[in-house]
Amino acid sequence: MTVHDTAETWLTHLAVERGLSANTLSSYRRDVLRYVDWLDSAGITDIDVVSVADIEAYVLDLRRGVDGRTALGASSAARALIVVRGLHRFALGEGLVVIDVAAEVAPPATGRHLPDTLSIEEVSLLIDACPADDAATAADLRDRALIEVLYGTGARISEAVGLSVDDVSEAPEVLRLTGKGSKQRLVPYGSMASDAVARYLVRGRPLLAKGKSHALFLNMRGGALSRQSAWAALKRAVERSGLDKEVSPHTLRHSFATHLLEGGANIRVVQELLGHSSVTTTQIYTHVTAENLRQVWHSAHPRA
């Protein structure tokens, strides 16, 4: 069976049997077709003749960025290899090959990346860049509430735009977030974020609502705010604030976790708040705080 036909059959299996989301399927299709194209350019069209050396050469080319392609970092190349492994594991299960050659290929080593964060003062500048006075527009109030929620809860952008009005709990200063795998968690979000949400619900959202959506954050047409529009709202706030750095929704999530740990929060608590299934994922933030301590020590200790 050709590699291309195997890839199409696998993608259909993922959609029908596994029920993967459209976004995940799109990512898988992009990565697997890039692999198929690479094999084709190497003169390899049948899945059962692909070797360990072929896959290792493919990963190496991803890292080098051949044929005018942008070179991928170690983590991106490792994610691409996961797709290749999935394809070959499927081929083995379907009896199309007698050995899973991809299982023997080690992913490229990834260095530990310390996530970008904002200082507490920078977060305040960002939030205050969104007006909340009597002259504030409905969009201003929405954007301020959105940024307060992102920083106040550490929510992923998809979790924030996925909030409904019903998720604003009757309990004071608590939101119900729906994370990966449709897992729900209750997260406190503080008086300032709570006030911003309440202000938006009273003065902003009614001006945006057209009776079409129960989403908490609405766009100008009354529908649910998209992830792209949420990014644009954050970008506007960054420009208004005068911050000279790249800020993404994930930057606010990173800042949320870092500031909690720096303030003495237990890592297990931070894990629960972030919705991480494993504390290992959360441990990256302990490296951030350790790096801050190291920098302070070097600048202050007489024998540094």
Side-chain angles (χ1 to χ4, degrees):
M1 193 172 188
T2 68
V3 180
H4 184 273
D5 289 343
T6 306
E8 290 295 338
T9 304
W10 179 55
L11 290 170
T12 300
H13 166 77
L14 293 177
V16 176
E17 301 296 331
R18 299 276 301 278
L20 298 189
S21 69
N23 285 340
T24 301
L25 282 172
S26 177
S27 296
Y28 273 46
R29 174 174 290 277
R30 181 192 64 238
D31 286 341
V32 78
L33 291 183
R34 177 171 53 194
Y35 175 57
V36 171
D37 288 344
W38 185 92
L39 290 175
D40 187 62
S41 67
I44 303 169
T45 57
D46 293 332
I47 189 72
D48 60 349
V49 300
V50 179
S51 68
V52 173
D54 293 327
I55 300 175
E56 289 176 338
Y58 169 66
V59 174
L60 181 60
D61 280 354
L62 289 179
R63 297 283 283 124
R64 294 188 303 183
V66 299
D67 297 332
R69 295 179 180 270
T70 302
L72 299 185
S75 59
S76 296
R79 285 195 298 270
L81 178 59
I82 290 173
V83 172
V84 173
R85 283 178 166 174
L87 174 66
H88 283 272
R89 187 164 56 249
F90 172 77
L92 180 65
E94 293 294 301
L96 303 176
V97 296
V98 295
I99 186 172
D100 182 359
V101 292
E104 302 179 36
V105 180
T110 57
R112 184 172 289 275
H113 171 67
L114 299 182
D116 295 326
T117 61
L118 300 176
S119 68
I120 296 174
E121 293 74 17
E122 287 172 333
V123 172
S124 296
L125 280 174
L126 185 63
I127 293 172
D128 289 341
C130 301
D133 56 18
D134 292 341
T137 67
D140 290 333
L141 296 174
R142 177 202 63 202
D143 293 353
R144 187 179 182 109
L146 173 66
I147 296 172
E148 284 275 22
V149 165
L150 288 171
Y151 175 66
T153 66
R156 302 175 180 92
I157 187 63
S158 58
E159 294 172 342
V161 298
L163 285 166
S164 73
V165 174
D166 292 338
D167 290 325
V168 181
S169 174
E170 293 181 3
E173 302 170 10
V174 173
L175 286 179
R176 181 172 61 239
L177 296 176
T178 302
K180 294 181 177 181
S182 298
K183 294 181 180 178
Q184 293 188 336
R185 64 188 189 277
L186 293 176
V187 181
Y189 64 124
S191 60
M192 293 183 179
S194 179
D195 289 346
V197 170
R199 193 181 305 116
Y200 161 66
L201 285 172
V202 172
R203 293 170 43 202
R205 192 179 184 281
L207 299 178
L208 299 174
K210 304 291 191 297
K212 298 179 181 179
S213 175
H214 292 290
L216 175 61
F217 296 113
L218 301 177
N219 59 31
M220 301 306 292
R221 298 180 303 278
L225 193 70
S226 67
R227 297 193 340 173
Q228 292 81 2
S229 295
W231 268 78
L234 180 57
K235 183 178 180 180
R236 285 194 300 271
V238 172
E239 291 173 348
R240 288 176 178 175
S241 70
L243 288 174
D244 186 22
K245 58 172 55 180
E246 292 291 327
V247 180
S248 71
H250 237 59
T251 306
L252 294 175
R253 181 170 163 85
H254 295 326
S255 301
F256 164 83
T258 302
H259 296 164
L260 280 177
L261 287 169
E262 289 178 342
N266 183 283
I267 190 171
R268 291 286 182 180
V269 173
V270 177
Q271 174 196 349
E272 291 294 327
L273 293 175
L274 290 172
H276 286 162
S277 57
S278 170
V279 74
T280 303
T281 310
T282 318
Q283 283 176 338
I284 180 65
Y285 299 106
T286 65
H287 289 265
V288 177
T289 53
E291 176 67 12
N292 291 342
L293 290 173
R294 187 187 67 80
Q295 292 176 358
V296 171
W297 184 87
H298 272 287
S299 64
H301 196 282
R303 298 184 69 86

